[in-house]
């Protein structure tokens, strides 16, 4: 889902634009639900995201997981190169004003950059203490979502 700061419409709005100001409303809800009820011990959740401030995504994943659960998880985050928010344009432009408004709204939301991300979240078997460990894996991978050999 794409960030939709201040409700500014983008070409992605119809399919992917309703993820809230940061674009993470859906992802955070899915991760929280996975912690509560969707994942059985040993289960995995794999998700992709155009992640704002990807360097902070592991912390956010753990916050979302812990929000409603006493279960444990571990998460690996693979990332593409970050694009600075001031250079990011989500879709083909419908007007010259759209990217300016979009970028200003992202700045107000604290979004400094966006990057492709692939997350693998595992609910370990036999875990008795609630905890969450999450980390970025390796260096940013160019064209992450298209790199079949890497994935």
């Amino acid at each position: 889902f794409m960030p939709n700061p201040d409700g500014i419409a983008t070409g992605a709005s119809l399919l992917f634009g309703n993820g809230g100001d940061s674009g993470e409303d859906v992802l955070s809800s899915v991760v929280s639900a996975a912690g509560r009820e969707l994942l059985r011990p040993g289960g995995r959740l794999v998700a992709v995201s155009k992640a704002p401030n990807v360097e902070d995504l592991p912390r956010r994943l753990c916050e979302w997981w812990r929000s409603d659960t006493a279960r444990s998880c571990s998460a690996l985050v693979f990332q593409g190169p970050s694009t600075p928010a001031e250079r990011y344009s989500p879709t083909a432009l419908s007007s010259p004003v759209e990217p300016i408004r979009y970028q200003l709204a992202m700045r107000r939301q604290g979004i400094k950059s966006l990057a492709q991300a692939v997350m693998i979240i595992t609910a370990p078997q036999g875990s008795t203490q609630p905890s969450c460990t999450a980390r970025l894996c390796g260096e940013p991978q160019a064209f992450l979502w298209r790199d079949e050999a890497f994935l």
Side-chain angles (χ1 to χ4, degrees), residues 116 142-149 151:
Q116 294 179 352
F143 307 108
L144 177 64
W145 293 343
R146 292 189 283 166
D147 190 339
E148 293 179 25
L151 295 173

Side-chain angles (χ1 to χ4, degrees), residues 1-148:
F1 289 86
M2 299 294 298
N4 192 16
D6 294 346
I8 295 171
T10 67
S13 292
L14 292 177
L15 287 176
F16 306 109
N18 293 325
D21 284 341
S22 70
E24 294 186 320
D25 288 0
V26 174
L27 179 61
S28 64
S29 295
V30 168
V31 171
S32 181
R36 281 192 321 274
E37 59 196 330
L38 297 179
L39 282 186
R40 295 181 179 166
R44 287 187 187 95
L45 168 67
V46 178
V48 298
S49 173
K50 189 69 157 189
N53 306 333
V54 72
E55 65 281 353
D56 196 41
L57 183 56
R59 180 194 59 77
R60 294 193 307 271
L61 288 172
C62 285
E63 280 181 6
W64 302 332
W65 180 272
R66 287 189 204 129
S67 66
D68 291 322
T69 187
R71 296 171 50 199
S72 294
C73 83
S74 63
L76 302 175
V77 178
F78 299 91
Q79 64 180 314
S82 291
T83 300
E86 62 271 6
R87 288 196 353 234
Y88 186 77
S89 184
T91 60
L93 305 176
S94 59
S95 89
V97 175
E98 181 181 351
I100 295 166
R101 289 185 60 226
Y102 189 84
Q103 292 159 358
L104 287 172
M106 283 196 299
R107 187 177 308 136
R108 281 194 300 274
Q109 296 295 323
I111 299 172
K112 297 175 184 137
S113 63
L114 291 116
Q116 294 179 352
V118 175
M119 295 145 280
I120 303 171
I121 303 170
T122 305
Q125 293 187 9
S127 175
T128 58
Q129 296 294 323
S131 67
C132 178
T133 58
R135 65 183 176 90
L136 292 174
C137 295
E139 296 298 315
Q141 182 72 26
F143 307 108
L144 177 64
W145 293 343
R146 292 189 283 166
D147 190 339
E148 293 179 25

